[in-house]
Amino acid sequence: MSRFVPALLFLCAATGIHGYSVTTTNANVKVKENTGVDLTCSYSADFGADPRIEWKLNDKEGSVSYVVYNGKVTETYVGRVSLISSSTLRFSEVTRRDNGNYICEVSSSRSPPKEVTVGLTVLVPPSPPKCNIPQTVTTGKVAVLSCSDGDGSPPPTYKWYKDGTLLPNDPSKIAGFQNATYKLDPNSGKLEFSPATKMDSGQYLCEAVNEAGAAQRCKAMKMEVRDLNTGGIVAGVLIFLVLLGLLIFGVWFAYKRGYLPTKSQSKPNSHAVYQPTTSYEDDADFKQKSSFVV
């Protein structure tokens, strides 16, 4: 077999067949925030002595931006990023915003672009999560408890505790929880009771966990599941009807007593004729006219 290797290499060279390749020594890099790191990238000699090197970032939101373009660090990364050994990307200090997939692309005039992807995870411990726990829930209704932390990297998973006891993610598989009515999503931090029962009343807290540091908890809060207060609703309706009856009686009594104007009293008299008053210049004139009338 060994005798055929030189012949195969000669055949590849003669026919122009090349093995262009781009590789990395570590495709998944994890490093603590505010520390330095190298993202390695190497290429085969087929590309020639001066290939075109580009690094691109595909971040968590799916947007793509250049870190190195045509062999030069872009303005956003100047002072914090550099190229070493012609193709390896070196960060002097990383932040949580640097999370994502970095694509090293190599090309030359004699070859199509080839690339390799290096994933970078910046390790940030979780912060105390924000918990939303309803204080009161009506029996038979849906109760949703939420828990979230936007600081941890990688994104933390979540655990829920009731009265100090850890709630399993799948209660149907754990003895003592098989009759539980909740659903728990450890990735989103959502805990849902559908429907809620009085047995679900208790003190609840959430814990955020990731590999970067110590777990963090929110403050425990009490959730109470109560039956619908039908007696209070009936009493409220009766009070409303009594007040409405008193109002109607008051209007009727005022009308009967004449405290309210009738239609005839409130309607203006359209047949009234205006009678101008007579003006007299002095008493003498008044006497003269009075004697004439007599």
Side-chain angles (χ1 to χ4, degrees):
M1 180 67 182
S2 60
R3 72 180 66 177
F4 292 103
V5 173
L8 182 61
L9 293 175
F10 175 79
L11 181 62
C12 290
T15 55
I17 298 176
H18 299 275
Y20 299 104
S21 64
V22 179
T23 59
T24 181
T25 58
N26 189 356
N28 293 287
V29 178
K30 295 182 179 181
V31 61
K32 291 183 178 180
E33 189 174 31
N34 301 320
T35 59
V37 68
D38 290 346
L39 306 185
T40 62
C41 176
S42 58
Y43 52 90
S44 60
D46 309 68
F47 288 97
D50 190 24
R52 181 186 178 103
I53 308 295
E54 292 179 352
W55 276 93
K56 293 178 284 186
L57 167 62
N58 188 351
D59 63 21
K60 293 188 298 182
E61 284 71 34
S63 62
V64 178
S65 58
Y66 280 100
V67 180
V68 174
Y69 181 75
N70 197 20
K72 295 181 179 180
V73 177
T74 58
E75 183 178 356
T76 304
Y77 296 90
V78 169
R80 200 164 62 90
V81 172
S82 59
L83 272 181
I84 62 172
S85 303
S86 75
S87 59
T88 291
L89 194 67
R90 169 167 290 178
F91 283 85
S92 61
E93 186 177 79
V94 293
T95 70
R96 64 196 69 187
R97 294 191 301 273
D98 296 322
N99 277 307
N101 291 319
Y102 289 79
I103 303 168
C104 175
E105 184 179 278
V106 183
S107 61
S108 68
S109 58
R110 66 178 73 175
S111 71
K114 297 290 184 178
E115 64 183 38
V116 67
T117 300
V118 181
L120 174 61
T121 301
V122 180
L123 301 176
V124 181
S127 298
K130 296 179 180 178
C131 297
N132 184 15
I133 302 172
Q135 295 182 351
T136 58
V137 179
T138 302
T139 303
K141 300 294 183 180
V142 176
V144 178
L145 289 68
S146 62
C147 179
S148 62
D149 166 45
D151 293 329
S153 174
T157 57
Y158 302 96
K159 299 178 181 180
W160 278 97
Y161 292 81
K162 176 191 175 186
D163 298 329
T165 300
L166 176 65
L167 298 179
N169 293 339
D170 189 353
S172 64
K173 297 180 180 180
I174 306 297
F177 290 90
Q178 294 177 349
N179 295 326
T181 61
Y182 69 83
K183 295 179 181 178
L184 196 162
D185 186 343
N187 296 315
S188 69
K190 180 180 177 181
L191 174 63
E192 180 178 328
F193 295 90
S194 180
T197 67
K198 286 186 176 182
M199 295 295 294
D200 299 322
S201 295
Q203 291 275 352
Y204 288 87
L205 66 84
C206 173
E207 183 178 69
V209 181
N210 74 2
E211 62 184 278
Q216 297 288 333
R217 294 181 174 185
C218 67
K219 182 180 178 181
M221 296 180 63
K222 184 178 181 180
M223 183 181 77
E224 185 175 358
V225 183
R226 301 175 179 175
D227 290 331
L228 184 64
N229 188 3
T230 54
I233 295 174
V234 172
V237 173
L238 290 177
I239 292 173
F240 172 77
L241 293 176
V242 169
L243 293 175
L244 180 62
L246 290 174
L247 177 63
I248 295 173
F249 174 78
V251 173
W252 174 84
F253 183 80
Y255 179 80
K256 285 295 185 181
R257 290 288 183 171
Y259 299 139
L260 297 178
T262 61
K263 289 184 178 180
S264 60
Q265 290 174 333
S266 61
K267 185 177 181 181
N269 188 357
S270 59
H271 300 290
V273 179
Y274 174 72
Q275 296 292 339
T277 59
T278 304
S279 174
Y280 299 99
E281 297 178 0
D282 52 31
D283 292 342
D285 187 35
F286 171 73
K287 292 178 181 180
Q288 181 179 1
K289 290 184 179 182
S290 298
S291 63
F292 175 78
V293 174
V294 174

